[in-house]
C-alpha cells in the first residue's frame, strides 16, 4: 500500500487518492494533429525505476499532485504541484 | 490433575481450573491456560489429524503458530472454522474441535490407501495422471481430488447477523515484532526514549524463548513489568504480524481474550492495520526438523516443542523419549525433561563430541554420538527407533514413545524479505539470516542470527538505539538489570537428511518428501521457486515455516551446489491463517457498500416504493406492486396528465469564476460561452480518447456562475474529470468546482398539465411559455422556499425541474402533491422514467457505455467546429468515422405481442451467430403498441426501415425486429415547447 | 502501558444543527481582508477556528467551511465579491455530528485512517478523509470531534458510528446547538 505525503494534508493512505495516469506526457497544442494526440493518449513507457504520475487527492484537499514514484520499490521521491517542472531522479543502470 | 502425561508445574496452567472440551466427539478434560494440543497431549492423545495428500496420521510437530500438521476445525453451533492450529487454540469450557482430512474417522481413514499407493502419486501427479479424457476433469477427477485433498472444511452457512468483525487503524513510531529477549529489551529501551511503541507478540504471554528457562524468570518478569511504566508504549499479546505491505504499513491479527470478546459482542479476531515510521523485527528463530524416513509419525516432535509443553503446560510429551539433535541448544530439552523425572531412552547426536553431550552423560543420559535415526517404528505413534552410526557401522533398536528432533534453528525472515531485505548464508548456524537496513527499520536477536538469550537481549538494546537515532531520539542510559549469562555452546553440525527407505518429509503440511524435491529437479524444475510450484513445498498456510530450508537443502544437494546458490523460499503473507471475517471487517452484507439516501427517502418508503440500487443510491423504482402494470400506469400519467419524480441523485456541480465559461467550452464538446444567463443547455463531454463520457444539462445562473448536472452514475467521476483537466491543462483559467449534489433536492414535474401544478406552487418567475420557455433556468420561489427552476425535460413532455435545498425537500414535495391532486398528479419511479425516456429516445448509462462516440449516438452536430476541447482530436480518428460503427436506432418487434430483452443480440438470418449489435434498453410502450427499445446496430442509421432478428439465447427467443428512429414520440419536439 | 483490555469507555454521540457555507478564494489576501472586515477569522490550513458566532475550518487550499448556528444569518451569509472569490451554500449538503467522551478516539480508530493521537491531531486540527467508506471532514475540538459527512450518507455514517461505539458504552445525546459547540473556548 502506498502512503503519499500530500503537501496540503500530510501523509495519507493510497485509498484517498485517485490515480490519473502518466504525468510525463504533455497535452499537445490544439491542432497538433492526430499522431501527436495518439501518442499523448496511448503511447506509454513502462519504466523500471522512477516514474512521474498524476494522483488526485479526492478524499482530502482534492488537489492534483505530481508524484515521483519508483515502480519497483514504490518509494516516493517527491510530491509536486502540477505546475512544478519534472525532476526525475537518475535512473539506476542507465 | 487432568491427563496422565501432566506432571505439573506449567507456567500457564498451574492453578488452572479444569476445563471440559470435546475432540472428534470424545469428551476430555484440560486446564485453563492449555491449548487444545497441550490438553490432548496431556491426555495421551497423539494423533491430531490426517495429512493432506497421503492421509497419514499426524501429531503436533510444534508448540506454536508455526504448526504444520495439527490443524483442526473449531465448531460452535452450526458454525465451523477451519485450519486453526491446535497448538495455539486456547482451551475453553465447551470447546468442540474436529480433526481434518479424515474420512470417516481419525483412526480409520479410507483414503490412507493413498499412502500405500504413494509410488503412483509422486509430486506433480495431477499434472500427468488426470489428463484424459478431457471431459473427465470437470466431472470426475477434480471433484475426487477436491474431496481427498484440502485442509479444513468451510461451513456453507451465512449467519444473518454476521460474525462480528472490526478493523482498527493504529499508528506508532516503532512497531516491535516479537517479545522475546530481543523484543522485550528493545521495546523497553524505545519506551524509555519516549517513542510511541507498539509491541506485538503472537503468544498469549510475553517472553519468547525466555519462557523456556527458569533462570530467565526474574529478568523477564522485571522487563515485562517495566513496560507498564512507559506511557507511549502499548503491548499487544495474542497478536501476529501477518505481513509487511510497504510504506510502513503492517497487517496484524489480534485474537481477543475472553473479557474483550464479551465486550465486543462475541468478536474473536480483530484486524489491526498499523502505520509505523520504523519496524524492529525481533521475530526469533524456529527449530527445524530433519528429513528421515518416518519423520512425520505421531510422537515425532521438535525438541524445543517438547521443552515448551513441559515448561508452559507441565506436560511431558513422552514417558521414554528419544532425542535426535545436532546442536548443544537442543540438549536443553533433554536436561529439562530429565530434571522433571522423565527418563530419556536415547540421545542421538549427529556430532562426535560436544560440551552438552558430556553434561548429558554425567546425568546418566545415554548419548549416541556420531549417530542418526535411521527408522521410526509405530504407525499411530512412535514405539521404537533405529539408531545407526553415521559411519555405517552398528544399528540399534531403541524402544521409545516419542522422538524429539532438532535440526538447528532457522531465523524467521518472512517480514524482512517482504520488505526487500536480502538473505545471507551463515554457516555457523546453517541458516540464512536477513538484516533490515535503512529507513524500514532494524532486525535484532535470533532473527539476524544472534543466538543465545543474553546475546539477543543485548542485540535488542543495540537495535533500539539504532532506530531511535534514526528518529532523532537519544535514549537515556540503560538501567535495566543484567540478564543471565549464556552458557558456552559447542558448534552445530548441519544435517538435512538421513537417507533410507520410506517417506522422509521436508514439508509436513503439504506432504512433500525429499524424493519429491529430487523428482522436481530431474524433471527440470531446478530453481527453488519452480520446485515449490511443482511439489507444493512451502505453500498453503505453512509457507515453509518449519521445513522451508530443509527443502532448499535437499534441492541444493541434488543439484550439487552450495545452498547459498539455491536460496530460501520467500514466504508470502499471511504468516498464519486468517479468518475471512477478520479481513472483511464490518463491511459485509448490508454494510458492504454505503447507501446513499435521497432527502425524501422516508417519504418514498411510506408511499410503498420498491427501491433499486443505482450506484450507491437507493432510488424508488416504482410505487406499489410488481410487474409492468404499475410502471406503465405511472408513465401514462405523465403522458396524459402530470407526474412527479425525485431526481435528486443527479450529480450537481457548482462552477464559478471568471474562467468558468471558457473552461466549460474546454471540457464540453459543445459550446457554453454563448449560453445566455437564465438558460440551460444540453451538453456532452468526451474523454480525451474521443469517446463519450457523460451528458447532462448545464445552466448559466450568472455570467460567471454555472450549474452542471451529471448522470447519477458519473457524478463523482465528472467532478474528478473537471478538477483533473483544470489543474493539469487549464491552470490559467480562474474556476472553482463545488459538489452541490447533496445540497439540492430536485424534482421533475412532467406532463401536459405540469404547468398547472407548477403555477400553483411557484410564485416567481412567471411560468407562461413566453416568459419561461423551454430550456429556461431561473431562481425561483417554490412553495415559499428559495430554489431554482429549470424548464428541461427527460420524458419528452412539457416539464419543469424544481430544485430546493434538501432540508426543505419534504415541505415542497408535499406542496406539489397537494397542488397536483386535482390534476391526478402521480409520483413515478425510475422504471417509469426509463419507459418515458426510451420512448423519447434519450440516452443514459446503457448507451453512454464507454464504447460509444458522439457520432454513434447521433450527436455529431453538437461537436463544435472551432477551438480545443477534451477529446476533440481523437474523436476524429478514422476508426470512429468509418463504416461499421454501432449506431443508435430504435427497435420494435414486428409481432407487437412479442417482447424485447436488454442485451438481445441483433443478427440476420443468414448469419445467426454474427452479432450486428444489441438492444441497450427496452420497455413496453405507453404511447405505441407493444414493446419499444433502443439498440446499437452496425451502420444502424443506414438500416432504418429494414428488419433484423433479435436473439436472446438465454431465453431461447428469436424475434423479427423493425429498425426505426430512436425517437418514438414527438420527433419534432413540440410537446416540450408547448 | 495500556493493554487493549484497558480501552477507554464512555462515548457520546450528538447531531449538531448548523448552517454551512463554503468560501473559495480567487485572490486569497483580498478574501482574508474581506473576511477580517466582516469579523470572520479564517482558520489556518488543516486547522479549525472557533469564535462565538462562527467556526471556520480549512481542509482545502484557498477554501474555508464557515459554520454557524442553525436558522441564523450573519456576516458569513454576505456574498463574497466575485473579484475576491466565491461562496456556495452547503447547509443542506452536510450533516454534522459531535463525538465526545474518553472512548471517542478508540471508536474513530475503527474507521479513520488518520493518526488522531493528541500529540499529532490536537484540538484545533482539521482534516478531510474517509471513514466507513464515505467522505468525512473531521475537526478536533477540546470537547470532542466534530464530524461532517454528506447528507446522503449521514444515515449510513450514523448507523456505523453507533454500532462501532456500542462496546464503548455509547450514549445518544440528541441534537446540540451551535452555541454548545462554540462554547468550547479552550481552543
Amino acid at each position: 500500500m502506498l502512503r503519499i505525503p500530500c503537501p496540503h494534508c500530510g501523509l495519507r493512505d493510497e485509498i484517498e487518492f485517485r490515480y490519473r495516469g502518466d504525468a510525463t506526457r504533455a497535452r499537445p497544442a490544439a491542432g497538433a494533429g492526430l499522431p501527436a494526440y495518439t501518442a499523448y493518449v496511448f503511447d506509454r513507457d513502462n519504466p523500471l525505476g522512477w516514474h512521474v504520475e498524476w494522483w488526485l487527492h479526492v478524499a482530502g484537499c482534492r488537489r492534483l499532485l505530481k508524484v515521483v514514484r519508483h515502480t519497483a520499490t514504490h518509494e516516493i521521491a517527491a510530491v509536486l504541484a502540477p505546475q512544478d517542472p519534472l525532476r526525475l531522479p537518475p535512473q539506476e543502470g542507465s | 490433575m487432568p491427563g496422565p502425561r501432566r506432571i505439573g508445574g506449567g507456567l500457564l496452567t498451574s492453578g488452572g481450573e479444569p476445563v471440559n472440551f470435546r475432540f472428534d466427539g470424545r469428551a476430555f478434560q484440560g486446564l485453563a491456560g492449555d491449548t487444545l494440543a497441550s490438553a490432548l497431549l496431556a491426555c495421551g492423545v497423539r494423533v491430531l489429524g490426517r495429512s493432506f495428500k497421503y492421509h497419514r496420521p499426524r501429531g503436533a510437530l510444534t508448540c506454536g503458530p508455526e504448526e504444520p500438521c495439527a490443524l483442526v476445525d473449531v465448531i460452535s453451533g452450526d458454525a465451523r472454522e477451519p485450519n486453526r492450529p491446535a497448538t495455539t487454540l486456547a482451551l475453553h469450557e465447551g470447546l468442540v474441535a474436529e480433526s481434518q482430512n479424515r474420512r470417516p474417522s481419525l483412526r480409520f481413514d479410507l483414503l490412507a490407501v493413498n499412502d500405500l499407493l504413494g509410488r503412483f502419486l509422486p509430486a506433480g501427479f495431477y499434472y500427468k495422471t488426470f489428463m484424459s479424457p478431457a471431459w473427465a476433469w470437470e466431472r470426475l477427477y477434480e471433484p475426487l481430488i477436491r474431496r481427498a485433498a484440502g485442509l479444513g472444511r468451510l461451513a456453507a452457512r451465512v449467519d444473518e447477523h454476521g460474525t462480528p468483525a472490526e478493523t482498527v487503524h493504529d499508528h506508532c513510531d516503532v512497531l516491535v515484532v516479537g517479545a522475546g529477549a530481543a523484543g522485550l529489551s528493545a521495546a523497553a529501551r524505545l519506551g524509555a526514549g519516549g517513542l510511541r511503541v507498539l509491541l506485538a507478540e503472537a503468544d498469549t504471554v510475553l517472553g519468547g524463548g525466555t519462557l523456556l528457562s527458569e533462570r530467565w524468570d526474574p529478568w523477564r518478569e522485571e522487563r515485562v513489568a517495566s513496560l507498564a511504566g512507559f506511557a507511549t508504549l502499548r503491548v499487544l499479546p495474542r497478536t501476529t504480524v501477518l505481513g509487511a505491505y510497504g510504506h510502513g504499513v503492517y497487517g496484524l491479527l489480534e485474537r481477543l481474550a475472553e473479557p474483550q470478546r464479551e465486550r465486543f459482542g462475541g468478536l474473536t479476531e480483530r484486524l489491526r492495520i498499523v502505520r509505523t515510521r520504523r519496524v524492529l523485527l525481533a521475530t526469533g528463530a524456529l527449530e527445524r526438523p530433519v528429513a528421515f524416513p518416518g519423520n512425520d509419525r505421531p510422537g515425532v516432535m521438535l525438541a524445543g516443542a517438547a521443552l515448551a509443553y513441559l515448561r508452559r503446560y507441565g506436560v511431558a510429551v513422552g514417558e521414554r523419549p528419544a532425542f535426535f539433535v545436532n546442536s548443544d541448544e537442543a540438549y536443553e530439552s533433554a536436561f529439562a525433561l530429565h530434571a522433571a523425572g522423565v527418563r530419556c531412552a536415547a540421545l542421538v547426536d549427529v556430532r562426535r563430541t560436544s560440551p552438552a553431550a558430556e553434561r548429558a552423560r554425567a546425568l546418566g543420559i545415554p548419548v549416541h554420538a556420531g549417530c542418526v535415526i535411521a527408522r521410526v517404528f509405530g504407525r499411530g505413534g512412535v514405539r521404537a527407533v533405529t539408531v545407526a552410526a553415521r559411519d555405517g557401522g552398528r544399528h540399534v533398536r531403541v524402544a521409545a514413545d516419542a522422538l524429539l528432533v532438532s535440526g538447528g534453528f532457522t531465523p524467521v525472515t518472512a517480514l524482512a524479505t517482504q520488505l526487500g531485505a536480502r538473505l545471507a548464508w551463515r554457516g555457523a548456524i546453517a541458516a540464512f539470516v536477513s538484516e533490515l537496513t535503512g529507513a524500514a527499520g532494524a532486525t535484532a536477536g535470533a532473527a539476524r542470527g544472534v543466538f543465545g538469550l543474553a546475546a539477543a537481549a543485548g542485540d535488542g538494546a543495540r537495535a533500539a538505539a539504532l532506530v531511535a537515532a534514526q528518529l532523532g531520539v537519544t535514549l537515556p542510559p540503560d538501567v535495566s538489570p543484567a540478564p543471565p549469562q549464556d552458557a558456552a555452546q559447542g558448534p552445530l553440525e548441519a544435517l538435512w537428511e538421513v537417507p533410507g527407505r520410506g517417506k522422509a518429509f521436508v514439508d509436513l503440511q503439504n506432504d512433500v518428501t525429499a524424493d519429491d524435491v529430487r523428482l522436481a529437479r530431474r524433471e527440470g524444475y531446478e530453481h527453488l521457486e519452480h520446485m515449490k510450484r511443482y511439489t507444493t513445498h512451502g505453500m498453503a498456510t505453512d509457507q515453509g515455516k518449519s521445513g522451508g530450508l530443509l527443502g532448499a537443502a535437499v534441492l541444493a544437494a541434488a543439484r550439487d551446489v552450495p545452498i547459498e546458490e539455491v536460496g530460501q523460499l520467500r514466504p508470502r503473507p499471511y504468516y498464519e491463517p486468517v479468518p475471512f471475517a477478520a479481513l472483511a471487517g464490518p463491511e459485509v452484507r448490508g454494510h458492504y457498500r454505503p447507501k446513499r439516501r435521497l432527502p425524501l427517502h422516508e417519504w418514498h418508503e411510506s408511499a410503498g416504493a420498491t427501491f433499486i440500487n443505482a450506484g450507491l443510491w437507493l432510488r424508488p423504482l416504482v410505487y406499489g406492486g410488481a410487474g409492468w402494470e404499475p410502471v406503465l400506469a405511472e408513465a401514462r400519467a405523465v403522458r396524459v396528465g402530470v407526474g412527479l419524480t425525485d431526481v435528486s441523485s443527479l450529480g450537481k456541480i457548482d462552477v464559478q469564476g471568471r474562467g468558468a465559461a471558457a473552461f466549460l467550452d474546454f471540457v464540453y464538446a459543445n459550446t457554453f460561452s454563448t449560453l445566455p444567463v437564465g438558460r440551460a443547455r444540453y451538453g456532452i463531454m468526451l474523454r480525451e480518447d474521443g469517446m463519450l463520457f457523460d451528458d447532462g444539462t448545464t445552466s448559466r445562473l450568472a455570467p460567471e456562475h454555472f450549474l452542471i448536472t451529471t448522470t447519477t452514475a458519473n457524478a463523482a467521476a465528472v467532478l474528478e474529470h473537471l478538477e483533473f483537466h483544470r489543474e493539469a491543462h487549464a491552470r490559467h483559467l480562474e474556476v472553482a468546482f463545488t459538489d452541490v449534489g447533496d445540497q439540492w433536492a430536485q424534482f421533475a414535474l412532467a406532463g401536459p398539465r405540469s404547468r398547472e401544478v407548477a403555477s400553483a406552487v411557484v410564485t416567481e418567475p412567471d411560468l407562461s411559455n413566453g416568459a419561461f420557455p423551454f430550456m429556461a433556468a431561473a431562481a425561483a420561489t417554490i412553495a415559499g422556499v428559495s430554489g431554482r427552476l429549470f424548464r428541461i425535460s427527460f420524458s419528452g413532455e412539457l416539464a419543469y425541474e424544481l430544485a430546493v435545498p434538501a432540508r426543505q425537500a419534504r415541505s415542497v414535495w408535499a406542496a406539489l402533491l397537494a397542488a397536483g391532486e386535482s390534476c391526478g398528479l402521480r409520483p413515478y419511479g425510475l422504471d417509469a422514467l426509463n419507459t418515458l425516456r426510451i420512448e423519447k429516445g434519450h440516452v443514459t448509462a446503457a448507451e453512454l457505455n464507454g464504447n460509444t462516440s458522439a457520432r454513434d449516438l447521433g450527436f455529431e452536430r453538437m461537436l463544435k467546429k472551432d477551438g480545443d476541447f477534451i477529446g476533440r482530436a481523437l474523436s476524429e480518428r478514422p476508426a470512429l468515422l468509418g463504416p461499421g460503427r454501432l449506431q443508435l436506432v430504435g427497435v420494435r418487434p414486428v409481432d407487437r405481442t412479442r417482447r424485447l430483452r436488454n442485451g438481445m443480440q441483433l443478427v440476420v438470418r443468414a448469419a445467426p451467430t454474427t452479432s450486428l449489435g444489441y438492444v441497450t434498453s427496452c420497455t413496453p410502450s405507453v404511447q405505441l403498441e407493444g414493446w419499444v427499445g433502443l439498440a446499437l446496430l452496425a451502420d444502424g442509421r443506414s438500416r432504418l426501415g429494414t428488419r433484423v432478428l433479435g436473439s436472446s439465447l438465454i431465453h431461447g427467443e428469436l424475434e423479427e425486429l423493425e429498425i426505426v428512429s430512436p425517437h418514438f414520440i414527438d420527433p419534432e419536439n413540440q410537446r416540450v415547447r408547448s | 502501558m495500556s493493554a487493549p483490555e484497558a480501552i477507554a469507555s464512555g462515548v457520546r454521540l450528538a447531531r449538531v444543527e448548523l448552517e454551512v457555507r463554503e468560501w473559495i478564494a480567487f485572490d486569497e489576501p483580498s478574501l482574508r481582508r474581506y473576511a477580517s472586515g466582516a469579523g470572520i477569522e479564517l482558520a489556518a490550513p488543516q486547522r479549525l477556528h472557533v469564535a462565538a458566532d462562527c467556526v471556520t475550518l480549512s481542509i482545502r487550499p484557498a477554501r474555508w467551511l464557515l459554520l454557524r448556528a442553525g436558522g441564523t444569518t450573519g456576516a458569513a451569509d454576505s456574498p463574497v465579491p466575485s473579484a475576491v472569490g466565491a461562496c456556495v451554500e452547503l447547509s443542506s449538503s452536510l450533516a454534522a455530528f459531535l463525538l465526545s467522551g474518553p472512548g471517542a478516539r478508540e471508536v474513530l480508530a475503527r474507521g479513520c485512517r488518520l493518526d488522531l493521537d493528541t500529540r499529532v491531531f490536537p484540538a484545533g486540527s482539521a482534516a478531510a478523509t474517509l471513514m466507513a467508506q464515505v467522505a468525512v471532514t473531521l475537526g478536533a475540538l477540546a470537547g470532542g470531534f466534530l464530524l461532517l459527512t454528506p447528507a446522503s450518507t449521514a444515515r449510513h455514517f450514523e448507523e456505523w458510528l453507533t454500532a462501532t461505539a456500542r462496546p464503548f458504552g455509547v450514549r445518544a445525546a440528541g441534537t446540540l446547538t451551535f452555541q454548545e459547540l462554540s462554547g468550547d473556548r479552550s481552543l
Side-chain angles (χ1 to χ4, degrees), chain B residues 34-45:
Chain B
D34 261 329
T35 61
L36 177 65
S38 69
L40 287 170
L41 286 166
C43 295
V45 177

Side-chain angles (χ1 to χ4, degrees), chain B residues 891-974:
Chain B
V891 288
R892 294 182 74 185
V894 172
D895 177 349
R896 303 291 191 226
T897 67
R898 306 294 295 171
R899 64 162 297 171
L900 296 170
R901 304 247 181 216
N902 289 340
M904 224 173 207
Q905 295 298 311
L906 304 180
V907 298
V908 292
R909 203 170 293 281
T913 56
T914 303
S915 174
L916 300 173
Y918 55 96
V919 175
T920 54
S921 314
C922 64
T923 179
S925 178
V926 291
Q927 186 86 31
L928 305 172
E929 187 189 357
W931 283 66
V932 297
L934 300 179
L936 291 167
L937 175 64
D939 301 316
R941 283 197 284 276
S942 67
R943 294 177 190 258
L944 289 176
T946 69
R947 292 179 175 186
V948 293
L949 295 175
S951 163
S952 174
L953 294 176
I954 295 173
H955 302 95
E957 292 168 0
L958 191 66
E959 308 297 344
E960 189 159 36
L961 311 179
E962 294 179 64
I963 308 301
V964 296
S965 155
H967 308 294
F968 294 95
I969 62 147
D970 189 25
E972 296 76 30
N973 245 3
Q974 298 300 314

Side-chain angles (χ1 to χ4, degrees), chain C residues 94-182:
Chain C
L94 293 168
F97 300 90
L98 183 74
L99 187 76
S100 54
R105 271 191 178 74
E106 274 290 342
V107 172
L108 292 181
R110 278 148 177 79
C112 181
R113 295 170 178 83
L114 306 188
D115 190 352
L116 299 182
D117 187 276
T118 41
R119 283 158 295 189
V120 181
F121 201 81
S125 305
T129 186
L130 293 171
M131 286 172 68
Q133 307 183 70
V134 298
V136 175
T137 296
L138 188 75
L141 299 162
F145 290 95
L146 176 67
L147 304 162
L148 305 174
T149 186
S152 60
T153 50
R155 188 166 134 191
H156 159 83
F157 183 65
E158 189 173 17
E159 284 170 0
W160 171 81
L161 253 186
T162 307
T164 306
R166 198 164 292 130
F168 300 86
V170 67
R171 236 166 12 89
T175 303
L176 294 181
T177 64
F178 175 81
Q179 282 73 21
E180 289 169 273
L181 199 71
S182 67

Side-chain angles (χ1 to χ4, degrees), chain B residues 574-595:
Chain B
Y574 309 115
Y575 191 73
E576 62 174 71
V578 184
F580 283 120
L583 295 176
E587 288 160 6
V588 290
R589 299 186 188 85
H591 298 103
Y592 178 61
R593 287 277 179 267
K595 290 188 178 72

Side-chain angles (χ1 to χ4, degrees), chain A residues 1-4 11 13 18 20-21 25-31 33-34 37-38 40-42 54 56 58 62-65 73-76 81-83, chain B residues 169 171 245-249 273 275-276 666 688-689 716-717 719-721 723-725 727-729 731 867-878:
Chain A
M1 183 175 95
L2 302 181
R3 302 197 78 211
I4 300 174
L11 191 58
D13 286 7
R18 194 83 77 230
R20 294 291 314 201
R25 303 297 168 120
R27 189 170 189 274
L34 204 50
Y37 268 91
T38 304
Y40 164 62
V41 173
F42 297 110
W54 291 121
L56 185 65
V58 289
R62 297 202 70 99
R63 285 301 177 105
L64 185 65
L65 309 173
T73 65
H74 298 302
E75 188 189 335
I76 290 174
Q83 69 273 25
Chain B
H169 299 279
H171 300 262
Y245 298 93
H247 286 211
V249 179
I273 299 173
R275 295 146 183 90
T276 185
F666 177 55
E688 194 70 281
D689 69 356
L719 181 59
E720 286 167 25
H721 180 82
E723 288 168 333
F724 172 76
H725 287 294
E727 288 209 60
H729 308 125
R731 296 188 61 79
D868 189 15
F869 64 87
I870 298 293
R872 172 174 199 135
L874 290 180
S875 70
E876 288 156 18
R877 278 187 275 168

Side-chain angles (χ1 to χ4, degrees), chain B residues 313-485:
Chain B
Y313 311 106
V315 174
V317 296
E319 284 174 336
R320 267 188 77 73
F323 285 83
F324 181 24
V325 306
N326 67 343
S327 71
D328 278 10
E329 185 127 27
Y331 278 70
E332 294 303 325
S333 182
F335 295 147
L337 279 163
H338 181 83
V342 177
R343 277 184 56 213
C344 179
L347 202 161
V348 179
D349 193 333
V350 173
R351 305 167 301 171
R352 302 222 169 268
T353 60
S354 81
E358 294 315 311
R359 278 179 63 203
R361 285 199 181 95
L363 292 169
I365 297 172
V367 176
H368 301 252
C371 291
V372 293
I373 296 289
R375 201 170 162 193
V376 180
F377 297 92
R379 186 175 164 81
V382 175
R383 281 186 286 112
V385 296
T386 300
V387 179
R390 292 186 81 184
D391 53 24
R394 70 210 155 84
H395 278 61
V396 191
R397 181 174 163 136
V398 178
D401 62 350
L403 176 60
L404 308 177
V405 181
S406 178
F409 294 81
T410 307
V412 176
T413 55
L415 291 172
T417 53
Q418 284 166 24
L419 290 166
R422 294 195 186 283
L423 296 173
W425 179 252
R426 194 75 69 74
I429 58 168
F432 288 99
V433 295
S434 67
E435 179 125 32
L436 216 52
T437 53
T443 312
R448 64 185 277 267
V450 176
F451 285 5
L453 293 172
D459 199 45
R462 173 204 61 84
L466 188 85
V467 166
Q470 286 182 354
L471 297 176
V473 171
T474 309
L475 300 180
D478 192 351
V479 294
S480 63
Q485 295 287 302

